[in-house]
Amino acid sequence: MKLEVRDLRKSFGEKEVLHGISFSIESGKALGLLGRNGAGKTTTIRILMDVFHANSGTITVDGRPFHPKQFRIGYLPEERGLYPKKGVEEQLMYLAQLRGSSRADAKQQTMRWLKRLGVEEYAQRKLETLSKGNQQKVQLAQTLVCDPDLVILDEPFSGLDPVNSQILKDVIQEQIEAGKLVIFSSHQMSYVEEFCEDIVLINRGEIVLSGALSQIKKTYGKNRLIIGMGESCQDPGQALTDYMGDLIRVVGRRKEQVIVELKADCTRELLLRELLERELVPEEFGNYEPSLTEIFVEKAGDQS
């Protein structure tokens, strides 16, 4: 199954907030939908869920128009949306039936997911009596209880400790391997890097970067090296600029390491030879692979 979004535009009054959003996602893959607060991620998600209607643009599944009511969509919102004074099992069964499950199937799937997530002992408890982390796990259970075709996760790791985060990681990976369409939105870039093959970065209502994450990293790391000079060098960035400024440009730092960009006609081999000849012996010298956080800041960090 392949879901394609093409030239999605949305306005509120005279203000256009989405300026032609396009991306696609295939079964068995997770798409990282990224952007700063107010960039347009939530509006895009709400259009997919038929909460908002786009002013223009198309959404298709395998080439046919996408009608949300014909698909089961599991949505985990950033802000908790369950009923705090209702019992856990009661409301999960209600929500599963609301999305098309029979009562028997809703009961089975509710208990399955509560057990899978380690919160079955709280089935008869009111949601508000649970810890923040356990409430988040119940939220995830309601996302998956209807066996959704499309899974949308917005900041799913909020409030989880490392042990519960690992449980959630395993569940997300299971959904991907089961062939679901998974859209993953988070400001925690390490999780996005762990799950998502492809990313879409929205800034001010338009896509500023999209594609395979591995290729994006390769492109951003091109002609850049990371060099560690060791503790003996007090200011490695300045030292490299003073002695090697004709060959490189210092573009950043990572703790004690310096990120440099090769100038025209400078190769990795030439730079290393010049460093050794000038007795600037690096302790670390290798290709630079940017983190997703660094790419995010470079592409979306100009918003004020």
Side-chain angles (χ1 to χ4, degrees), residues 151-217:
V151 181
I152 303 173
L153 305 170
D154 192 353
E155 297 294 352
F157 292 94
S158 175
L160 296 182
D161 60 35
V163 173
N164 286 323
S165 292
Q166 186 58 53
I167 294 172
L168 179 52
K169 286 180 185 181
D170 293 341
V171 169
I172 294 174
Q173 193 59 48
E174 288 167 8
Q175 295 300 302
I176 295 170
E177 292 173 358
K180 308 292 187 180
L181 295 170
V182 178
I183 295 177
F184 188 94
S185 181
S186 179
H187 290 132
Q188 296 174 281
M189 297 295 132
S190 60
Y191 290 127
V192 177
E193 291 191 83
E194 189 166 349
F195 295 114
C196 301
E197 291 185 38
D198 302 312
I199 64 165
V200 171
L201 176 55
I202 302 176
N203 192 32
R204 296 177 178 174
E206 59 186 14
I207 292 180
V208 293
L209 186 67
S210 65
L213 181 55
S214 59
Q215 185 58 48
I216 289 171
K217 284 191 167 191

Side-chain angles (χ1 to χ4, degrees), residues 226-227 229-230 233-238 250-260 288 294:
I226 189 158
I227 301 174
M229 298 303 297
C233 187
Q234 295 296 319
D235 190 344
Q238 190 60 52
V250 175
V251 295
R253 295 193 65 160
R254 220 187 244 179
K255 295 184 179 179
E256 301 304 317
Q257 300 167 315
V258 179
I259 303 165
V260 304
Y288 164 68
E294 290 167 327

Side-chain angles (χ1 to χ4, degrees), residues 5 149 268:
V5 174
D149 307 296
R268 173 191 172 114

